Amino acid sequence: MALPKLNTPKYNLNVPSTGKEIEYRPYLVREEKILMIAMESEDAKQMSTALLRIIEACTEGLDIKNMAMFDVEYIFAKLRAKSVGETSEVSVKCEKCEADNKATISLDSVSVTDMPITKIELTPTTGLIMRFPSMKSYEDIESKNTTSNVDKIFSVIISCIESVYDGEELFDADSHTKAELGEFIESLNTEQFKKVQAFLDGMPQAFVMLDYNCEECGEHHNSELKGMTNFFA
């Protein structure tokens, strides 16, 4: 006789980058095992791979390979809230006295900062249509044999280009080499390049509100805690 199958509840959320509604379930022991092994390794790449595997197992209709970093952070926070509890205790440092504190955050209240405009006008007729870099693109850039932060920034910019437009013509970035896209970016003047940098600086992030009083000096803190690493620190 086969063992009984347990019912798993289903929930809905909207993917921040697209607004698309998807269905998801809490992750189960088999997925938590994947997460625990990745955390035990203390390897950033293995950890990010585990997160993508868990999200893929618990959702449907997502382009996992090209998911933006903030989408991954947001969706995983929602999964964790329904899987192991809606709160998480984090370690934070007081901005006034720098004492370490323990604070509780609500993972179910995780939100994403405002979306930047993805169209960058370089001239009245020419510009860029940008996309948000995926977690995989960050991994690829980090794995390159370069220690130059400048090279990494340019690689991120190139990975963010979806297309270049010139009047009515549209040039799909995926139809051009990285060298060609890099040459185009290097041809920008300073003011044009600042617009591209502003897009990167305004990249959305998952965040949760942090509200606590410092145990050492009593200073009250009410601020945004950003990034998945901080959510579970």
Side-chain angles (χ1 to χ4, degrees), residues 44-45 48 69 134-149 151-153 155-156:
K45 186 173 182 179
S48 62
M69 177 75 78
S134 66
M135 183 178 281
K136 185 180 185 305
S137 67
Y138 277 121
E139 287 179 359
D140 291 343
I141 290 164
E142 287 297 327
S143 66
K144 287 183 177 180
N145 295 323
T146 177
T147 57
S148 169
N149 286 331
D151 286 340
K152 289 180 179 179
I153 290 170
S155 293
V156 172

Side-chain angles (χ1 to χ4, degrees), residues 120 188-199 201:
I120 301 175
L188 303 182
N189 62 39
T190 302
E191 290 303 312
Q192 291 167 338
F193 188 67
K194 283 181 180 178
K195 293 181 179 180
V196 178
Q197 285 182 304
F199 174 81
D201 294 341

